[in-house]
Amino acid sequence: MADNTILIKNAVILDPNTDYDGQKDLLIKNDLISEISDNISEKNVDKIIDAKDKILLPGFINTHTHLSMTLFRGLADDLALDEWLNDNIWPMEANLNGNYCYIGALLGAVELIKSGTTTFSDMYFYMEDVAKAVEESGIRAVLSYGMIDFGDEEKRKVEIENNMTLFKNCHDTADGRIKVFLGPHSPYTASEELLKEVRKLADENGMKIHIHVSETQKEIDDVFNEKGLRPFEYLDSIGFLGPDVLCAHCVWLNDNEIDIIKKNDVKISHNPCSNMKLASGIAPVSKLIDNDICVSIGTDGASSNNNLDLIEELKTASLLQKVSTLDPKVLTSDEAIAIGTINGAKALGLEDEIGSIEVGKKADLILIDTNNANMIPDSSNLSSNIIYSANGSNVDTTICNGKILMENKKLTTLDEQEIYDKARKAIEELKALL
């Protein structure tokens, strides 16, 4: 088969690993970045994109989502996590099926693509239906089934089987765009037996682990009352932690737990908007960064955010650290770009493939249009212009795995209106079932 080639001309490149001077051309062959130089010939190229007035970045990486929960956007606002979950989300989730999760995932994929995210890490239910949406949309995903057993042995067996079936059926599918992790929900919903079995399965199968940890003060108290240890101390004591573990939230950490995270090279997914909205607290991100701990960014579900705009999330992360530490120099715009790109790749174990603009890496790229009121005057500091001025609506083009998913703000793989109509119908049906 002949190479499929895309040439991006006249690009100003913003990358977390490399300082590219001036405008560059970038050539994509099939799914890979093939060449980056000052002037690449247009001969025998299938598609040319002129990047004048645009900034070229690696696609953003959202390391903690519940994509199908886009259907629950605005369902239960202004509530604490416990009330939000127990009285609103869990009753609604009881009526979910594969088709609803498929529609919710398609809606989420539209939002991710339009706001410049090319990879997301998801934990939820009916994940094979989510995988179907991923395959159709062209985006990249790490999927895990959210395992909850509350100490019930029969339920534990079923949950593990569900996650391993997902691994068997979906890992490395969709041209390699889909990976599967193990997804124990949290230390307070997954028993010690489940957590130990997850660790064993991860070691045996070379799988990674995605889990919520230390999201609320109540969680700390509940785990401490049951185990006599704080969540990270408890997970460390049962041998659960390691460099293959991605922990979402991590709001309530003491110095000993930060040492435990560093010692085990655990990866963190920071979810500032969700943590603020649910009044869960402020994660000590600047302290984690000072300890050379890998911090990435996640939106959580659209039901507690309420959008999936990662540029907005990165701005919030930066400003929140500044105001909580009373230090304007923490979490700079350069650090925020890294958190949204290469750190996300490291958190998912994909740093050799994605997260930066380098020859030989996957062509997961976005173009941000600077010819907009909120981007003028052009800042000489590109990262500042993106993090503090832009938002997802400034994304003009999204490319994943060498395939254009959006160009000139128009989606190429998904029918937006059809998905919107289906999503509206799905949520009305779900509300009627309550």
Side-chain angles (χ1 to χ4, degrees):
M1 191 180 82
D3 287 340
N4 177 45
T5 53
I6 301 170
L7 176 59
I8 300 174
K9 298 283 292 180
N10 312 312
V12 174
I13 301 176
L14 174 58
D15 183 73
N17 283 353
T18 309
D19 218 356
Y20 290 100
D21 283 332
Q23 294 185 347
K24 299 287 180 190
D25 291 357
L26 182 145
L27 183 67
I28 298 167
K29 280 192 182 174
N30 295 326
D31 58 340
L32 299 176
I33 298 170
S34 165
E35 185 183 348
I36 304 168
S37 58
D38 289 338
N39 192 10
I40 298 173
S41 169
E42 298 179 13
K43 257 178 87 174
N44 302 319
V45 170
D46 299 313
K47 168 84 179 173
I48 296 172
I49 296 173
D50 186 359
K52 184 178 180 293
D53 292 331
K54 296 181 179 69
I55 302 170
L56 179 67
L57 291 92
F60 287 114
I61 299 169
N62 187 336
T63 56
H64 184 66
T65 62
H66 309 288
L67 202 62
S68 298
M69 291 182 86
T70 47
L71 290 181
F72 302 158
R73 194 193 317 267
L75 173 73
D77 291 334
D78 306 323
L79 298 170
L81 178 65
D82 253 33
E83 189 183 349
W84 177 81
L85 264 181
N86 291 307
D87 300 344
N88 295 275
I89 298 301
W90 282 343
M92 187 69 88
E93 285 179 342
N95 294 311
L96 283 174
N97 60 33
N99 188 52
Y100 288 139
C101 284
Y102 166 67
I103 293 166
L106 282 175
L107 178 62
V110 169
E111 190 175 353
L112 291 173
I113 292 165
K114 289 184 69 130
S115 54
T117 292
T118 52
T119 300
F120 71 99
S121 176
D122 207 55
M123 180 199 293
Y124 209 52
F125 319 116
Y126 300 101
M127 293 307 287
E128 290 195 38
D129 297 281
V130 175
K132 185 179 158 200
V134 171
E135 180 143 20
E136 290 173 17
S137 66
I139 202 167
R140 193 180 302 282
V142 170
L143 306 180
S144 52
Y145 173 81
M147 295 181 279
I148 296 172
D149 70 337
F150 287 119
D152 181 324
E153 189 178 349
E154 283 307 307
K155 179 130 173 74
R156 179 158 64 251
K157 285 177 184 168
V158 171
E159 296 289 86
I160 289 168
E161 189 179 326
N162 282 336
N163 207 141
M164 293 310 294
T165 300
L166 176 70
F167 179 68
K168 182 160 91 35
N169 293 342
C170 297
H171 186 67
D172 264 338
T173 59
D175 300 320
R177 284 184 285 110
I178 296 176
K179 308 292 182 194
V180 174
F181 284 14
L182 289 156
H185 178 266
S186 68
Y188 65 95
T189 54
S191 66
E192 186 171 325
E193 292 81 5
L194 175 56
L195 293 170
K196 285 179 172 175
E197 182 65 18
V198 163
R199 180 69 268 168
K200 182 166 164 282
L201 287 167
D203 291 340
E204 287 172 357
N205 295 283
M207 298 173 73
K208 298 184 190 301
I209 300 168
H210 184 180
I211 183 171
H212 304 80
V213 188
S214 299
E215 186 172 359
T216 65
Q217 182 65 60
K218 183 179 186 304
E219 178 190 333
I220 309 300
D221 296 341
D222 288 350
V223 172
F224 191 84
N225 288 339
E226 186 185 343
K227 303 291 182 182
L229 296 165
R230 294 170 65 88
F232 273 103
E233 294 168 343
Y234 160 56
L235 292 173
D236 191 38
S237 75
I238 62 171
F240 179 84
L241 299 174
D244 54 0
V245 178
L246 171 63
C247 296
H249 300 299
C250 304
V251 173
W252 296 91
L253 304 174
N254 65 18
D255 287 345
N256 183 48
E257 288 182 293
I258 291 173
D259 288 343
I260 287 169
I261 290 167
K262 183 176 174 63
K263 176 188 77 177
N264 289 284
D265 192 18
V266 170
K267 312 302 190 291
I268 306 300
S269 179
H270 176 42
N271 296 243
C273 289
S274 176
N275 295 156
M276 291 165 72
K277 186 163 181 275
L278 295 168
S280 298
I282 302 171
V285 168
S286 56
K287 195 180 274 193
L288 294 170
I289 292 170
D290 286 345
N291 280 275
D292 293 321
I293 289 163
C294 178
V295 178
S296 61
I297 193 86
T299 54
D300 214 357
S303 49
S304 64
N305 186 299
N306 288 18
N307 68 41
L308 305 175
D309 184 338
L310 219 52
I311 301 175
E312 184 181 287
E313 200 77 30
L314 288 164
K315 177 178 180 175
T316 302
S318 177
L319 301 190
L320 186 58
Q321 288 307 301
K322 295 176 193 304
V323 76
S324 67
T325 61
L326 300 180
D327 181 356
K329 295 178 181 175
V330 300
L331 223 173
T332 64
S333 57
D334 283 346
E335 286 174 321
I337 290 290
I339 283 171
T341 55
I342 193 62
N343 284 20
K346 288 173 182 171
L348 302 177
L350 296 173
E351 66 270 29
D352 291 340
E353 293 187 41
I354 60 172
S356 60
I357 299 177
E358 299 174 58
V359 170
K361 281 201 170 184
K362 296 286 188 184
D364 287 15
L365 304 163
I366 62 170
L367 285 167
I368 291 188
D369 188 1
T370 62
N371 197 35
N372 277 284
N374 64 326
M375 302 289 283
I376 296 170
D378 302 325
S379 170
S380 57
N381 184 335
L382 296 179
S383 67
S384 165
N385 215 12
I386 301 296
I387 296 300
Y388 300 135
S389 304
N391 57 58
S393 69
N394 292 111
V395 177
D396 174 86
T397 299
T398 301
I399 299 169
C400 183
N401 217 42
K403 185 174 182 181
I404 298 170
L405 309 186
M406 179 175 76
E407 186 177 13
N408 300 324
K409 304 197 176 186
K410 186 167 176 53
L411 296 189
T412 61
T413 57
L414 297 174
D415 184 330
E416 267 186 81
Q417 195 54 54
E418 183 187 356
I419 291 167
Y420 298 160
D421 293 343
K422 283 182 176 175
R424 287 187 175 109
K425 184 168 180 278
I427 194 57
E428 287 311 312
E429 289 174 4
L430 281 164
K431 283 179 178 175
L433 291 170
L434 283 178

